[in-house]
Amino acid sequence: MNYNKKSVEDIDVKGKRVLCRCDFNVPTKEGKITSDKRIVAALPTINYLREHGAKVILCSHMGKPKGEFKPELSLKVVADRLSELLGVEVKMSKDVAGEDAKRLAAELKDGDVMLLENTRFIKGETKNDPELSKALADLADIFVNDAFGSAHRAHSSTAGVADYLPAVCGFLIAKEVGIMGKALADPARPFVAILGGAKVSDKLNVINNLLEKVDTLIIGGGMAYTFLAAKGYSVGTSLLDEEKIDYCRDMMKKAEEKGVKLLLPIDTVIAKEFPNPIDGPIEVETVPSDAIPEGFMGLDIGEKTRELFAEAAKSAKTVVWNGPMGVFENPTLAKGTIAVAQALADSEAVTIVGGGDSAAACEQLGFADKITHISTGGGASLEFLEGLELPGIACLQDK
Ligand code: ADP
Ligand code: MG
């Protein structure tokens, strides 16, 4: 995939209607936004477009309404917050690309901003239905994609619409692609990847591609137990993807053939049960990874593993991290994740963190500003690292 894409700075937007796909999939509680981080992150592109005389039509999905209008997933809360942040009224259409959207879009003056209703209120969105793509395109003259977190999906508002409009990226996607594209294309070495977390099946696929690129691959978190099982260890009641045991065995072989160092936990923090509540008190002990007793589950990496992983991260020149090392929501089980975050923060390397929970962990622990780049996309950043073509980026014009 060519990562050298045109951005808003490479085209003339003055007087043009610009449809800008943002990631306004913000967390809400009882109808209130609990973090406006994603809205704030979209401001540079929106401000640039306004300052350069575009008529700005924003769109996004929120949650999973499955093609139906769901009042609790209306983007109205986002329009209100945007109005506050921009200091201008952001009008919101009652529909996605219907009569109301058309009317409001036609009324826009240069520098005005409006927001379409949740794109996933229409069934065609997630099916990349040409009818919806075309209706969206009819509202505008130019398409700008700035939703990195959705760029791995071929939906109408993320990719399909680019079949009908000249398409470029906004600043967020430009930054993501710039930093991660460079790290992958020509990484400063040693290049170390650290994988963890709980979405085992999703994430195991990335390993095959990473083994082509990295010098060291570190596996912790819930991911590790399928590997430990592949080594013939019993893993008790730990997270395990039985169908992937053979795959993990193949990956260990591939690592050896490629001369890639594959580091797995040498010791493990275990407990009888998953903590409930997740941050509640829990009784744990640490055992060697080949000695997890029957009826126990591994919930964090042990102290020796923390040292091993931190050492590898510290001596790297490029580090990519996706997925916590343990159930970091619980203070007793956060030590592995803290150790890795600390190692990245202390490292001189280019450090890239992807994945919602890993990013949250870095922020909660106060390490965020010591990381080179925290990606806004979990799934998207993983697929990027996997070397897959992201439809929301592939559809943009090359420079
Ligand atoms: P990310 O959002 O960074 O991509 P995931 O969503 O894949 O990461 O996984 C995050 C979750 O993984 C966290 O909620 C954490 O509690 C859980 N987790 C980490 N290690 C384990 C483990 N050993 N067993 C069960 N869950 C784990
Ligand atoms: Mg997650």
Side-chain angles (χ1 to χ4, degrees):
M1 186 163 95
N2 181 354
Y3 300 126
N4 205 6
K5 296 294 182 181
K6 279 193 189 167
S7 83
V8 285
E9 289 180 313
D10 298 313
I11 53 162
D12 182 14
V13 298
K14 182 147 181 47
K16 303 267 173 61
R17 284 193 172 72
V18 176
L19 177 70
C20 183
R21 175 54 154 101
C22 298
D23 178 8
F24 292 148
N25 186 25
V26 293
T28 59
K29 203 173 172 188
E30 286 152 17
K32 292 221 163 64
I33 295 172
T34 53
S35 164
D36 66 358
K37 223 180 104 202
R38 288 179 167 167
I39 305 177
V40 172
L43 294 178
T45 301
I46 298 170
N47 282 328
Y48 178 92
L49 292 170
R50 292 189 62 215
E51 282 157 19
H52 289 77
K55 303 173 170 85
V56 186
I57 305 164
L58 304 171
C59 67
S60 174
H61 81 278
M62 178 152 93
K64 292 183 174 159
K66 308 234 165 90
E68 273 171 56
F69 181 86
K70 294 245 170 83
E72 71 277 14
L73 292 176
S74 169
L75 285 177
K76 185 72 179 53
V77 285
V78 173
D80 292 346
R81 184 71 189 121
L82 261 174
S83 300
E84 284 169 21
L85 289 166
L86 292 170
V88 293
E89 193 195 353
V90 175
K91 285 201 177 136
M92 160 106 189
S93 65
K94 293 192 188 69
D95 50 22
V96 178
E99 289 311 313
D100 199 46
K102 271 190 224 162
R103 182 181 58 83
L104 286 178
E107 284 170 6
L108 291 175
K109 295 191 189 63
D110 293 1
D112 280 356
V113 185
M114 67 171 283
L115 175 63
L116 304 178
E117 188 49 284
N118 189 341
T119 51
R120 287 196 191 166
F121 283 173
I122 306 286
K123 277 211 169 60
E125 162 74 337
T126 55
K127 296 184 181 135
N128 198 10
D129 181 355
E131 200 180 315
L132 176 60
S133 305
K134 182 119 204 338
L136 286 166
D138 282 345
L139 298 172
D141 308 303
I142 294 169
F143 173 58
V144 171
N145 192 6
D146 212 18
F148 183 74
S150 302
H152 58 315
R153 314 217 185 269
H155 292 173
S156 282
S157 74
T158 61
V161 60
D163 289 344
Y164 307 98
L165 288 179
V168 301
C169 63
F171 294 119
L172 271 180
I173 284 198
K175 182 173 178 231
E176 295 273 4
V177 173
I179 297 180
M180 290 204 285
K182 185 172 176 296
L184 282 189
D186 184 21
R189 294 184 181 275
F191 181 9
V192 176
I194 308 173
L195 291 182
K199 287 184 216 140
V200 181
S201 321
D202 283 8
K203 292 190 183 181
L204 284 174
N205 291 329
V206 75
I207 293 170
N208 192 29
N209 187 266
L210 281 177
L211 286 175
E212 307 282 343
K213 308 206 149 89
V214 300
D215 302 296
T216 302
L217 179 61
I218 296 178
I219 299 191
M223 308 263 303
Y225 303 99
T226 308
F227 275 90
L228 295 176
K231 282 178 76 135
Y233 300 173
S234 59
V235 296
T237 51
S238 307
L239 218 55
L240 177 67
D241 186 346
E242 273 181 62
E243 282 174 18
K244 290 277 167 64
I245 292 178
D246 283 341
Y247 170 85
C248 289
R249 212 172 274 131
D250 290 346
M251 291 303 107
M252 292 193 287
K253 208 163 111 213
K254 178 167 173 173
E256 206 175 302
E257 283 163 11
K258 293 255 165 208
V260 174
K261 224 191 264 170
L262 180 68
L263 300 182
L264 295 169
I266 47 179
D267 56 354
T268 297
V269 176
I270 56 168
K272 271 225 156 92
E273 269 160 51
F274 197 85
N276 182 21
I278 196 159
D279 57 354
I282 182 161
E283 208 176 297
V284 298
E285 58 183 299
T286 302
V287 296
S289 292
D290 60 357
I292 300 174
E294 207 56 44
F296 281 79
M297 61 176 71
L299 295 170
D300 193 12
I301 54 175
E303 193 181 341
K304 292 200 181 88
T305 307
R306 299 203 285 272
E307 279 168 27
L308 177 74
F309 288 5
E311 206 43 57
K314 270 183 206 155
S315 57
K317 290 270 162 49
T318 305
V319 187
V320 171
W321 177 31
N322 185 304
M325 293 293 105
V327 182
F328 74 100
E329 295 91 336
N330 188 300
T332 308
L333 303 168
K335 294 189 182 112
T337 303
I338 293 175
V340 165
Q342 180 80 60
L344 261 67
D346 293 344
S347 167
E348 300 285 307
V350 175
T351 48
I352 297 174
V353 177
D357 292 290
S358 334
C362 283
E363 265 149 34
Q364 276 164 32
L365 301 167
F367 294 123
D369 44 339
K370 297 205 176 89
I371 306 288
T372 312
H373 179 61
I374 297 187
S375 176
T376 53
S381 68
L382 258 188
E383 292 198 14
F384 198 101
L385 296 176
E386 237 173 295
L388 296 178
E389 183 170 283
L390 276 53
I393 294 171
C395 71
L396 308 176
Q397 289 183 349
D398 293 333
K399 244 193 192 157

